[in-house]
Amino acid sequence: MMNKKIGQQSIQFANPPIIISTANIGGPKEKEGYQGENFDILMEDNINGFDSWEKCESYMMEQVIAKAAEKANKQVSEIECILAGDLLNQLMSTHFAMRTLQRPFLGLYGACSTMAESILISSMMIDGGFANLVAAAASSHHDAAERQYRFPTELGVQRPPVAQWTVTGAGSSLISTVGDGPRVVGATIGKIVDMGIKDTNSLGAAMAPAAADTLLCHFNDFGIQPSEYDMIFTGDLGMIGKTMVIKLCAEHGFYLSNNYQDCGCMIYREEQDAHAGASGCASSAVVFNGHIYKMLQKKQYKKVLLVGTGSLHSPTSYQQKESIPCIAHAVAIQA
Amino acid sequence: MMNKKIGQQSIQFANPPIIISTANIGGPKEKEGYQGENFDILMEDNINGFDSWEKCESYMMEQVIAKAAEKANKQVSEIECILAGDLLNQLMSTHFAMRTLQRPFLGLYGACSTMAESILISSMMIDGGFANLVAAAASSHHDAAERQYRFPTELGVQRPPVAQWTVTGAGSSLISTVGDGPRVVGATIGKIVDMGIKDTNSLGAAMAPAAADTLLCHFNDFGIQPSEYDMIFTGDLGMIGKTMVIKLCAEHGFYLSNNYQDCGCMIYREEQDAHAGASGCASSAVVFNGHIYKMLQKKQYKKVLLVGTGSLHSPTSYQQKESIPCIAHAVAIQA
């Protein structure tokens, strides 16, 4: 048996799985942002005729998986397994989408790192020979997340300047043993990093050390410099977390320069009042499954690193005065 | 590349991963039950000196992983990845245990099917060559689950006769490419089955059709009869769900007889007032990582099928009058 483990926490795929198609969806605020042109589906409003935010999120998850299949000329029924998750308690949106889609399903929880986690485990399934076609997906919904983690949006509570805006959207990647598309060549599985931050509005700062930890581990495990990648993307650190990651990596001799961006800084325009940027599972899910994938297809990026970043606190842990445990998983994708 | 997929939803491992050790923990009610002798660690009470049920659950998760490592003469630091989950919102107990254990970590949510899901994905990691030593784990805590899903136990709300008792406990399996122990030879990944049940006290009845669906798929995918196994265990269907599974399988020509048991019926004695039986992630986690593993080691069972059963509803989906989506994942283990 071939050993595909490399270094401390990383994997080098032997038969790099192929991302044969992707799809994403967003709401009106996402449409107005920088990624407006890069969505497959756009909703007119954040509820789309459903009677709850959660059901609208479930619809988004369903749609992106179906759309990714359609774009690859596949039936949903050909997908051998779906690996997905969201931010809601007991993955509510994912589970109700899976009830409709009726495919074998493995539920994941990595908070906002879920898109990278699902690509990572999906790629192990494909490279390991356990399936030929799987879907990785993640979603989040601004209003559903706000009322679960903070306050119902109807209350109109003022958000502090460090706060980020949870993206209403979803994204899915269809990953296969055969076909055309960029390939998942490597991955790094993250560890929990918790630097003691307790402010659940300041998630970018809480997650930055976890992102840096995974990045440093990735560079060391593969023996590479950041310049290996045309572009490195973190998931949803926002303006504050992004600056911290650059600083933390530099302290260890790895210099992220023009080839580093954070998906949380690529969604909303300044005038959209999203404060420190975008967040949520959908932050990296909509940017990866839209813009980044397109750039890889066009070979404008030859090799990118996607680092999903997740804040793993819960309202209960916050109430119990615990600090915020964070994690980041990385997947390397080559055109 | 070898194709290890078999039938519609199943996997046959090429180099069956070895479960080199297991460990479990329980509280006082679990000690008094049928499994009393089969615990590695027992707590004197359900809070064990912590200031919340959730932190006590986190401690249990930590303990079983450390204990499983110790029993295999390994350091926790040698575990290359931990795959784990629990019932709490945002996997609170798991995440805080992972903060302490400091190993690469992939979070899973399968509700009470988590133990089987974690063994399944861990086995793919091992058989696929992505790691040499991983830990699969799951936990639940009666009081933490009650206050999240139903009512705080301090309220003393009367439980209906169909209700099951969430197990306070955790279990972990250490899975490796080398060593001695029973091997994970096959698996079946479940689909969501939702027959429209909305009563969150009657989870055994809600989950039974999902268990039957996975069982039937498993028998068909491998072309085997239930008699292939010395014993088949479902996770936490309790008395009511267990009877339903036997009936549902019989309707399709598969007869579960003396070789079928439900972990939820193997934990509490009748006089312990647990009503329809045990439930929670820890139901199958404590029975599998104690009694079943010992029987496999002694070769009193040569081949068993563990079918983790999960009810994937959330308090929010219940409030929105949704029915209960359920899932079951199966892992076949041979001495």
Side-chain angles (χ1 to χ4, degrees):
Chain A
M1 188 170 41
M2 193 170 205
N3 194 344
K4 300 162 194 165
K5 198 192 160 193
I6 179 163
Q8 292 301 306
Q9 300 173 214
S10 300
I11 286 165
Q12 189 154 37
F13 293 106
N15 297 290
I18 306 155
I19 305 179
I20 60 169
S21 76
T22 60
N24 62 3
I25 187 171
K29 194 178 176 91
E30 289 68 34
K31 181 184 175 180
E32 286 165 22
Y34 295 122
Q35 300 299 320
E37 300 295 302
N38 289 319
F39 283 99
D40 292 295
I41 311 168
L42 282 162
M43 300 185 301
E44 299 262 309
D45 57 46
N46 264 11
I47 193 140
N48 209 34
F50 293 93
D51 60 7
S52 73
W53 313 119
E54 291 80 9
K55 288 178 188 171
C56 176
E57 184 177 341
S58 201
Y59 161 85
M60 292 194 293
M61 168 76 79
E62 231 179 277
Q63 288 298 305
V64 288
I65 295 172
K67 188 74 183 175
E70 184 197 312
K71 286 168 78 177
N73 291 314
K74 301 276 181 192
Q75 302 295 317
V76 168
S77 60
E78 293 177 72
I79 300 173
E80 296 166 43
C81 189
I82 299 174
L83 295 100
D86 61 69
L87 284 175
L88 299 180
N89 298 343
Q90 291 77 51
L91 310 186
M92 176 173 166
S93 296
T94 302
H95 290 144
F96 285 92
M98 295 307 127
R99 184 173 70 179
T100 307
L101 296 177
Q102 282 296 303
R103 303 309 305 142
F105 163 68
L106 295 166
L108 310 179
Y109 187 80
C112 309
S113 73
T114 303
M115 193 64 229
E117 184 186 358
S118 65
I119 293 176
L120 198 166
I121 303 182
S122 295
S123 299
M124 292 199 292
M125 274 192 88
I126 293 290
D127 184 64
F130 306 108
N132 294 304
L133 184 66
V134 301
S139 67
S140 58
H141 190 295
H142 178 74
D143 304 85
E146 284 298 309
R147 77 165 159 194
Q148 177 181 285
Y149 281 107
R150 296 175 196 92
F151 301 97
T153 47
E154 296 90 331
L155 262 179
V157 170
Q158 195 177 357
R159 306 167 62 246
V162 293
Q164 294 169 242
W165 188 277
T166 305
V167 175
T168 297
S172 176
S173 300
L174 217 57
I175 307 181
S176 176
T177 42
V178 291
D180 291 323
R183 287 168 175 262
V184 186
V185 291
T188 300
I189 303 173
K191 283 194 299 204
I192 305 263
V193 177
D194 181 340
M195 300 301 280
I197 288 180
K198 294 188 174 188
D199 176 1
T200 56
N201 275 307
S202 188
L203 296 179
M207 293 188 289
D213 190 70
T214 296
L215 277 166
L216 294 171
C217 182
H218 182 83
F219 298 142
N220 286 320
D221 282 351
F222 286 90
I224 54 177
Q225 287 292 320
S227 58
E228 175 79 11
Y229 297 101
D230 294 320
M231 201 57 119
I232 294 167
F233 297 92
T234 47
D236 60 340
L237 301 179
M239 324 302 177
I240 297 165
K242 185 187 164 189
T243 314
M244 288 173 67
V245 163
I246 295 171
K247 195 158 175 282
L248 287 165
C249 286
E251 280 174 11
H252 290 83
F254 290 97
Y255 301 94
L256 305 172
S257 56
N258 293 334
N259 70 336
Y260 168 55
Q261 188 49 280
D262 178 71
C263 298
C265 301
M266 297 169 66
I267 298 179
Y268 304 118
R269 297 173 201 274
E270 252 182 77
E271 61 271 27
Q272 285 188 281
D273 209 22
H275 297 355
S279 68
C281 298
S283 174
S284 56
V286 303
V287 177
F288 176 75
N289 293 297
H291 169 70
I292 301 175
Y293 186 76
K294 283 177 190 170
M295 292 290 278
L296 283 161
Q297 274 188 313
K298 287 189 274 184
K299 298 208 166 52
Q300 288 187 266
Y301 294 148
K302 290 215 182 58
K303 196 172 181 187
V304 304
L305 187 69
L306 176 70
V307 185
T309 40
S311 164
L312 304 175
H313 69 293
S314 75
T316 310
S317 68
Y318 173 76
Q319 285 158 4
Q320 295 182 9
K321 311 217 181 297
E322 270 296 342
S323 54
I324 303 172
C326 296
I327 202 161
H329 302 299
V331 282
I333 296 146
Q334 194 158 4
Chain B
M1 189 172 40
M2 191 170 207
N3 194 343
K4 300 162 194 167
K5 198 191 162 196
I6 179 163
Q8 293 302 305
Q9 300 174 216
S10 300
I11 286 165
Q12 189 154 37
F13 293 106
N15 297 290
I18 306 155
I19 306 180
I20 59 167
S21 77
T22 61
N24 63 3
I25 188 171
K29 195 179 176 90
E30 289 67 34
K31 180 184 176 180
E32 286 166 19
Y34 294 122
Q35 300 300 321
E37 302 295 303
N38 289 320
F39 283 100
D40 292 294
I41 312 168
L42 281 161
M43 299 184 300
E44 299 262 311
D45 58 45
N46 263 11
I47 194 143
N48 208 35
F50 292 94
D51 60 6
S52 75
W53 313 118
E54 292 79 11
K55 287 179 189 170
C56 175
E57 185 178 342
S58 201
Y59 162 85
M60 294 194 292
M61 169 76 79
E62 232 179 276
Q63 288 297 304
V64 290
I65 295 172
K67 188 75 182 173
E70 183 198 313
K71 286 169 77 177
N73 291 315
K74 300 277 182 193
Q75 303 295 318
V76 168
S77 59
E78 292 177 72
I79 300 172
E80 295 167 42
C81 189
I82 300 174
L83 294 101
D86 61 69
L87 284 174
L88 299 180
N89 297 343
Q90 290 78 49
L91 309 187
M92 174 173 167
S93 297
T94 302
H95 290 144
F96 285 91
M98 294 308 128
R99 185 173 68 178
T100 307
L101 296 177
Q102 282 296 304
R103 303 308 305 142
F105 163 70
L106 294 167
L108 310 179
Y109 187 80
C112 309
S113 73
T114 304
M115 193 65 232
E117 184 186 358
S118 65
I119 293 175
L120 197 166
I121 302 180
S122 294
S123 299
M124 293 198 293
M125 273 193 87
I126 294 289
D127 185 63
F130 305 109
N132 294 304
L133 183 68
V134 302
S139 68
S140 57
H141 190 295
H142 178 75
D143 304 85
E146 284 298 308
R147 78 166 160 194
Q148 177 181 285
Y149 280 108
R150 297 175 195 94
F151 301 97
T153 48
E154 296 91 331
L155 262 178
V157 170
Q158 195 176 357
R159 305 168 61 246
V162 294
Q164 293 169 242
W165 188 277
T166 306
V167 174
T168 298
S172 176
S173 299
L174 216 58
I175 307 180
S176 177
T177 42
V178 290
D180 291 322
R183 285 166 175 266
V184 187
V185 292
T188 300
I189 303 173
K191 283 194 299 204
I192 305 265
V193 178
D194 181 340
M195 301 300 280
I197 289 181
K198 294 188 178 187
D199 177 1
T200 55
N201 275 305
S202 190
L203 296 179
M207 292 189 289
D213 189 71
T214 296
L215 277 166
L216 295 170
C217 180
H218 182 82
F219 299 143
N220 286 321
D221 281 351
F222 286 90
I224 54 176
Q225 287 293 318
S227 59
E228 173 79 11
Y229 296 101
D230 294 320
M231 201 55 117
I232 293 168
F233 298 92
T234 46
D236 60 340
L237 301 179
M239 325 299 179
I240 296 165
K242 185 187 164 189
T243 314
M244 289 172 67
V245 163
I246 295 171
K247 193 159 179 282
L248 288 165
C249 286
E251 280 173 11
H252 291 82
F254 290 96
Y255 300 95
L256 304 173
S257 56
N258 294 333
N259 70 338
Y260 168 53
Q261 187 52 279
D262 178 70
C263 299
C265 301
M266 297 170 67
I267 297 179
Y268 304 118
R269 297 174 200 276
E270 252 183 75
E271 61 271 27
Q272 286 188 281
D273 210 22
H275 298 357
S279 68
C281 298
S283 175
S284 57
V286 303
V287 177
F288 176 74
N289 293 298
H291 169 71
I292 301 174
Y293 186 75
K294 285 177 190 172
M295 293 289 278
L296 284 161
Q297 274 188 314
K298 288 189 274 186
K299 298 210 164 54
Q300 286 187 269
Y301 293 149
K302 291 215 182 59
K303 197 173 181 186
V304 304
L305 188 68
L306 176 70
V307 186
T309 41
S311 164
L312 304 175
H313 69 292
S314 75
T316 310
S317 68
Y318 173 76
Q319 285 158 2
Q320 294 182 9
K321 309 216 182 301
E322 269 297 341
S323 54
I324 303 172
C326 296
I327 202 161
H329 302 298
V331 282
I333 296 148
Q334 195 159 1

